[in-house]
Amino acid sequence: MSLISSILPWTWDAACGAHLYAASAWDFLRLLLLSPVLEELVVRAGLQEWLMRRWPASAWPVLVSAGAFSLLHLGSGWHVALAVLGPGLVLAMLYARTRSWRWCALAHSGMNAFAISVCSI
């Protein structure tokens, strides 16, 4: 465990659930392909795009889509939902800049790959 996890133990649990400590082939498929594609299609290409068309010069689409992304992870616990709020904001800003859910899915997959690599140490 790192210094941060010893100070705030919930951060390690938020970043590394049981499915990341010993990821199976199904976990890899789900975390690196299925979840990023499906979540980015729904949250960015769906919700955020819809909001951006209604409020084109507003920060609301970014904030609302990041919040929705966070809420999608609430089933894993409030600490997980809180932990993914920052990455959700990054992905929302990436979508606002590029208007490409594909770039967001690629970045999302990269974030998940990083989490897997850190947690399996």
Side-chain angles (χ1 to χ4, degrees), residues 99-116:
R99 295 299 265 269
S100 172
W101 69 267
R102 289 171 185 86
W103 280 114
C104 295
L106 185 62
H108 188 157
S109 183
M111 290 175 190
N112 287 353
F114 177 75
I116 290 168

Side-chain angles (χ1 to χ4, degrees), residues 51-52 55-62:
L51 291 168
M52 286 173 71
W55 296 289
S58 172
W60 285 112
V62 167

Side-chain angles (χ1 to χ4, degrees), residues 34-102:
L34 297 176
S35 294
V37 168
L38 293 174
E39 289 177 6
E40 298 308 323
L41 272 171
V42 170
V43 177
R44 297 323 149 206
L47 176 64
Q48 187 171 343
E49 181 64 31
W50 180 76
L51 291 168
M52 286 173 71
R53 289 180 184 184
R54 274 137 190 83
W55 296 289
S58 172
W60 285 112
V62 167
L63 297 173
V64 170
S65 69
F69 180 77
S70 180
L71 290 175
L72 283 176
H73 296 82
L74 196 56
S76 298
W78 67 268
H79 57 287
V80 175
L82 186 61
V84 301
L85 187 58
L89 281 168
V90 169
L91 292 168
M93 289 186 287
L94 177 62
Y95 185 80
R97 183 165 178 91
T98 65
R99 295 299 265 269
S100 172
W101 69 267
R102 289 171 185 86

